[in-house]
Amino acid sequence: EIVMTQSPATLSVSPGERATLSCRASQYISRHLAWYQQKPGQAPRLLIYDASTRATGIPDRFSGSGSGTEFTLTISSLQSEDFALYYCQNYDNWPPLTFGGGTRVEIK
Amino acid sequence: QVQLQESGPGLVKPSETLSLMCTVSGYSIGSGFYWGWIRQPPGKGPEWIGTIYHSGTTSYNPPLKSRFTISMDTSNNQLSLKVGSVTAADTAVYYCARQEGGIFDVWGQGTVVTVSS
């Protein structure tokens, strides 16, 4: 099973600042990586797939990069609605499909 | 616009069988896509349970395979998840989601399941 490790666990950022979230795969997954945002009491929402393609309706302040084992989600200028939990998910050569442990982006 | 809605008992006793339903609207589940179940224990990340393809073929997360059964009812446009011999470790929010390959692009709102006597 491919293990997904996210860092940091918590990221404290001021509104308007840039946030950089990391996700590492335990083995090579090409670009088969998705990012999700989850707010309290809600289901996860797809943000990015294929490592860097924004899902429908996702603002362009969200961007993804990386390939192989190292991936990054960048939020260029944090808005109040962006403070949430973020998860990465591997879908290379599944099953299984695996998620990272999450990064909480909180207001500094 | 496709929408998914989970439903279930809320509270289940240990050792019992848990049955959950996911009603899909806006798309016929037998026409295409994959359809997945994911759970999220309190304070933890999501865990993939399994997927059913529009053909009816299933794929499960290996550690969970022995107790979990996913099926589909195309006449009622519903997905079903059954979990046998539940324990407290099965306490979670359970989600159904549409899959585009391995990507979960549309999610239901989730249903809370608590296992307790």
Side-chain angles (χ1 to χ4, degrees):
Chain A
E1 173 179 312
I2 297 173
V3 177
M4 308 302 293
T5 303
Q6 292 186 242
S7 61
T10 303
L11 188 60
S12 297
V13 186
S14 299
E17 289 189 342
R18 182 187 196 92
T20 303
L21 291 66
S22 296
C23 176
R24 173 177 292 178
S26 61
Q27 61 192 72
Y28 179 84
I29 62 168
S30 185
R31 295 177 59 82
H32 299 138
L33 190 283
W35 290 95
Y36 300 85
Q37 177 193 66
Q38 186 176 34
K39 297 180 181 179
Q42 296 184 17
R45 175 176 72 143
L46 178 65
L47 296 176
I48 300 281
Y49 62 93
D50 290 347
S52 62
T53 302
R54 277 188 298 277
T56 303
I58 301 304
D60 60 7
R61 65 180 181 271
F62 291 91
S63 63
S65 63
S67 66
T69 61
E70 301 284 344
F71 301 87
T72 300
L73 174 69
T74 301
I75 312 171
S76 60
S77 177
L78 273 159
Q79 306 298 303
S80 57
E81 62 267 29
D82 301 334
F83 292 96
L85 269 165
Y86 292 84
Y87 294 99
C88 62
Q89 179 231 325
N90 148 61
Y91 53 94
D92 185 73
N93 195 28
W94 63 283
L97 296 164
T98 53
F99 290 85
T103 291
R104 181 181 304 277
V105 177
E106 65 175 25
I107 300 175
K108 187 174 182 179
Chain B
Q1 176 183 349
V2 61
Q3 293 184 311
L4 297 89
Q5 176 70 60
E6 304 88 346
S7 58
L11 179 65
V12 187
K13 290 182 169 55
S15 81
E16 292 186 342
T17 295
L18 167 65
S19 293
L20 300 175
M21 199 73 67
C22 173
T23 301
V24 181
S25 58
Y27 189 85
S28 294
I29 60 176
S31 297
F33 289 104
Y34 302 165
W35 304 90
W37 284 94
I38 306 100
R39 69 179 181 177
Q40 188 170 25
K44 295 187 178 181
E47 178 183 38
W48 174 65
I49 296 170
T51 295
I52 187 163
Y53 309 129
H54 59 88
S55 63
T57 303
T58 53
S59 176
Y60 296 95
N61 195 346
L64 307 178
K65 187 173 183 177
S66 62
R67 295 191 298 120
F68 290 71
T69 303
I70 297 172
S71 60
M72 64 194 309
D73 178 355
T74 54
S75 60
N76 290 307
N77 224 36
Q78 291 177 322
L79 310 168
S80 171
L81 174 68
K82 293 190 188 300
V83 187
S85 304
V86 298
T87 70
D90 295 311
T91 293
V93 179
Y94 285 75
Y95 297 99
C96 56
R98 188 180 75 174
Q99 283 183 237
E100 177 77 76
I103 303 160
F104 301 103
D105 64 344
V106 183
W107 295 64
Q109 67 183 30
T111 186
V112 177
V113 173
T114 302
V115 179
S116 175
S117 55

